[in-house]
Amino acid sequence: MKLITVSGPPSSGKTSVIIKSIGELKDRHLKIGVLKFDCLVTDDDNLYAAQNIDSRVGLSGSMCPDHFFVSNIDDCLNWAIGQSYDILISESAGLCNRCSPHIKGCTAVCVIDNLMGINTPKKIGPMLKMADIVVITKGDIVSQAEREIFALKIRQANPDGIILHVNGLTGQGAGELATLIETATEIETLVGKELRISMPSALCSYCLGETVIGLNKQMGNVRKMKLD
Amino acid sequence: MNESDLLEELTIKDLLDKYPYSKEFFNINGLPIDDVKISIRDYINSLGYVFLEDMGLNQEDLLKRFRSFMDRMKAIREEPAFNIRDITILGGRNKSEKPEEIDLKICIGEIICIVGPTGSGKSRLLADIEWMAQRDTPTRRQILINGSVPPRDWRFSVEHKLVAQLSQNMNFVMDVSVGEFITLHAQSRLIDNSEIKTQEIVFHANQLSGERFDMNTPLTSLSGGQSRALMVADTAFLSTSPIVLIDEIENAGINRKKALELLIGQNKIVLIATHDPLLALMGNKRIVVKNGGIKKVINTTSNEKKGLLRLTEIDNILMKYRESLRNGQLLEIGDELLC
Ligand SMILES: Nc1nc2c(ncn2[C@@H]2O[C@H](COP(=O)(O)OP(=O)(O)O)[C@@H](O)[C@H]2O)c(=O)[nH]1
Ligand SMILES: Nc1ncnc2c1ncn2[C@@H]1O[C@H](COP(=O)(O)OP(=O)(O)O)[C@@H](O)[C@H]1O
Ligand SMILES: [Mg+2]
Ligand SMILES: [Mg+2]
Ligand SMILES: [Zn+2]
Ligand SMILES: [Zn+2]
């Protein structure tokens, strides 16, 4: 089993890119399942179903989506093994720019689009900077020069990764991504594996349901702004 | 001691002086610089645990990233320009899976047009070339460079693209001025001193488009014609890609003839998908596509070349009228249109 974690800002083209790559992988006779992690709602399961792709949705609701991810992903892997998939792909929106669901030893993909502005590579944290593969989408609608500028910014933010242009609409480039996915490392279990970066620390009274504002309600892990 | 070891022993000031692009390492990683007199290693060691933890890093990771950054930027800077003499298109199959009988070599300095009805596969052919297809696209075509299969990693080279594209769907989206945009593009090629380039590009872009703009014009406020003109001039002077693919820019309202001359003057192969007779005749050959396959290749005849002179005259007249319209003048349509 190979586990591929795909992350990226909302609407960057994750689902489109995954669907196009799976099209290529199916041509190569591989069985693939998809997981979609989101907060409240998602339509992506319908998009996957429309392409005859098996998927499961995990909604974190009031929980931190990243904590939700990490406490479910090993069960998901076992489910995928039970389904005898060759490849399990997890899609999750980058819900804050710091977090990344990427796991050491599993291929990590970050999807980012050309429309996001040149300061985006700076603002997106480990999700981009620690990915093995950065997929850039929507190159069809911006100028060549802006594409080049954006690609260099990404290169500077992630000097070691593979950068790949994929068109989420036509699938151009998805064949190459599929080849990279196909050659990803096999894993048997996630137990004992480590996240590439620690989860955001959050254990304060508000995590536990507190809603009232005020110093005497702030308990646990609290960090204060410097205002002067 | 290898070079990266040396680099991290430099003071920040020396590093920035010697490698101006290293500033971007600090910027993109959100690292504030207070004291430029300390070495990179000491700087990284001085960063606090919580600060680094917020970025998901520790000191060792950050030092590693610094080395990777410097290695990569050096490689980009030193990578030699492409040495392309020609490309070859080897036929695949059309939409009805019939073999496409073609073996077409295109040399530097040539302009090749691609003609055919909408949906016939013009854009697909351009995409095959962009992707250096190796019988792995729906058309099963193969593209050779200098007569051989190009190295696979050329597809992944984001910094050095073989092909630059210009299409009618492309727009500028960056929130900067024209001058800032060109400077950014030059910087992304790691060209430090870009002032002359910037002036050259704005000058030529203005020659191509009837409507004047300058360095301070916001990029996203350019009209369709101005944008296309700037894209062409920028591609001519700043792009290192030896192949330029143009997808239907006829309606852009720029001087198409000058635009092509500008590109060809910079020693490029130009391929244009077009329905425009003026553009089509400027090529030395035109590829006719039908049902997803190359049907035939027509060499522009001498008769057609003569016709091009007449077409150019007509086009110039139309451009003159366009200019008069813009300036709020009456159109004096005289005999010049009569044959
Ligand atoms: N023009 C263009 N649109 C794209 C491309 N990739 C994705 N899109 C569009 O962008 C929107 C968001 O894509 P989606 O895959 O749902 O993004 P996600 O939220 O990251 O999963 C959809 O309307 C896609 O059709 C691309 O390469 N070019
Ligand atoms: N030889 C082929 N085999 C399969 N599909 C093809 C082939 N050539 C073109 N197509 C597909 O046909 C569609 C229309 O082609 P396109 O290049 O967009 O046409 P045009 O640019 O001439 O309007 C595209 O989806 C393209 O991928
Ligand atoms: Mg999605
Ligand atoms: Mg087209
Ligand atoms: Zn988070
Ligand atoms: Zn909390």
Side-chain angles (χ1 to χ4, degrees), chain A residues 24 98 114-115 117-119 121-123 125-126 129-130 136 139-149 151-165 170 172-177 179-180 196-199 223, chain B residues 21 24 27-30 50 53-57 65 68-69 72-73 76 124 127-128 130-131 136 152 155-156 158-159 161 163-165 167 169-174 176 181 184-185 187-190 219 231 234-235 238-239 241:
Chain A
E24 296 276 344
R98 178 185 176 277
N114 268 301
L115 302 178
I118 44 169
N119 290 322
K122 173 179 176 177
K123 285 186 218 148
K129 291 174 180 158
M130 289 182 180
I136 311 178
D140 52 325
I141 46 178
V142 304
S143 69
Q144 175 78 33
E146 286 164 307
R147 255 187 335 260
E148 291 173 7
I149 295 168
L152 189 82
K153 293 275 175 200
I154 289 178
R155 172 54 78 218
Q156 289 173 328
N158 183 339
D160 290 324
I162 292 176
I163 301 177
L164 198 60
H165 289 269
T170 65
Q172 175 112 332
E176 292 301 315
L177 180 59
T179 302
L180 293 172
R196 295 193 185 195
I197 142 169
S198 59
M199 285 291 167
R223 204 195 282 193
Chain B
Y21 53 80
E24 206 46 39
N27 179 31
I28 208 133
N29 288 301
V50 174
E53 172 66 14
D54 282 352
M55 297 198 289
L57 286 175
R65 190 177 290 174
S68 298
F69 178 97
R72 187 57 91 143
M73 291 306 121
I76 293 175
R124 184 65 253 171
D128 284 345
E130 216 250 290
W131 191 235
D136 56 354
R152 201 176 170 76
R155 285 182 174 181
F156 294 114
V158 271
E159 296 89 7
K161 281 247 153 231
V163 165
Q165 289 219 56
S167 97
N169 301 331
M170 289 177 185
N171 287 300
F172 286 122
V173 294
M174 271 168 47
V176 293
F181 157 73
L184 273 168
H185 192 200
Q187 278 169 356
S188 84
R189 306 240 73 109
L190 305 185
L219 193 60
M231 284 181 201
D234 172 84
T235 302
L238 263 182
S239 166
S241 308

Side-chain angles (χ1 to χ4, degrees), chain A residues 187-200:
Chain A
I187 54 165
E188 268 151 36
T189 174
L190 284 171
V191 177
K193 287 218 183 295
E194 251 187 290
L195 291 165
R196 295 193 185 195
I197 142 169
S198 59
M199 285 291 167

Side-chain angles (χ1 to χ4, degrees), chain B residues 198-209:
Chain B
T198 309
Q199 280 163 6
E200 199 173 16
I201 290 169
V202 174
F203 171 79
H204 283 281
N206 274 305
Q207 300 269 298
L208 298 181
S209 124

Side-chain angles (χ1 to χ4, degrees), chain B residues 118-327:
Chain B
T118 300
S120 58
K122 298 183 296 296
S123 301
R124 184 65 253 171
L125 177 57
L126 293 179
D128 284 345
I129 295 168
E130 216 250 290
W131 191 235
M132 294 173 258
Q134 298 302 321
R135 310 223 175 268
D136 56 354
T137 64
T139 66
R140 297 281 178 261
R141 286 189 187 111
Q142 185 172 25
I143 306 298
L144 304 180
I145 310 282
N146 297 339
S148 30
V149 177
R152 201 176 170 76
D153 59 2
W154 283 15
R155 285 182 174 181
F156 294 114
S157 172
V158 271
E159 296 89 7
H160 291 267
K161 281 247 153 231
L162 183 68
V163 165
Q165 289 219 56
L166 258 165
S167 97
Q168 57 189 0
N169 301 331
M170 289 177 185
N171 287 300
F172 286 122
V173 294
M174 271 168 47
D175 206 5
V176 293
S177 72
V178 168
E180 286 164 339
F181 157 73
I182 301 173
T183 307
L184 273 168
H185 192 200
Q187 278 169 356
S188 84
R189 306 240 73 109
L190 305 185
I191 298 170
D192 301 324
N193 191 348
S194 54
E195 242 167 78
I196 299 166
K197 282 261 184 218
T198 309
Q199 280 163 6
E200 199 173 16
I201 290 169
V202 174
F203 171 79
H204 283 281
N206 274 305
Q207 300 269 298
L208 298 181
S209 124
E211 315 151 276
R212 279 202 60 77
F213 62 93
D214 61 33
M215 309 277 186
N216 300 320
T217 311
L219 193 60
T220 48
S221 75
L222 297 179
S223 71
Q226 289 172 324
S227 298
R228 238 44 74 192
L230 181 56
M231 284 181 201
V232 170
D234 172 84
T235 302
F237 292 104
L238 263 182
S239 166
T240 53
S241 308
I243 303 174
V244 182
L245 304 180
I246 302 179
D247 201 353
E248 306 192 22
I249 53 160
E250 38 261 45
N251 303 324
I254 61 170
N255 189 323
R256 281 108 74 215
K257 189 154 180 283
K258 273 193 197 159
L260 283 190
E261 282 163 1
L262 198 60
L263 291 170
I264 279 297
Q266 305 299 314
N267 252 328
K268 292 180 189 287
I269 292 176
V270 182
L271 286 114
I272 321 167
T274 185
H275 301 296
D276 176 353
L278 186 73
L279 280 177
L281 293 187
M282 283 185 65
N284 24 6
K285 286 184 193 125
R286 56 187 189 271
I287 296 174
V288 182
V289 283
K290 200 178 162 189
N291 192 31
I294 297 179
K295 189 82 189 313
K296 58 180 170 186
V297 179
I298 300 176
N299 287 310
T300 312
T301 65
S302 52
N303 238 349
E304 285 180 323
K305 282 280 178 201
K306 261 184 247 153
L308 177 61
L309 292 176
R310 187 82 187 108
L311 279 181
T312 311
E313 278 166 33
I314 298 175
D315 191 53
N316 287 342
I317 293 165
L318 283 176
M319 287 217 290
K320 201 180 78 192
Y321 289 149
R322 201 175 290 136
E323 190 61 29
S324 309
L325 264 185
R326 247 187 225 127
N327 297 331

Side-chain angles (χ1 to χ4, degrees), chain A residues 202-204 206-207:
Chain A
L203 199 63
C204 69
Y206 296 98
C207 297

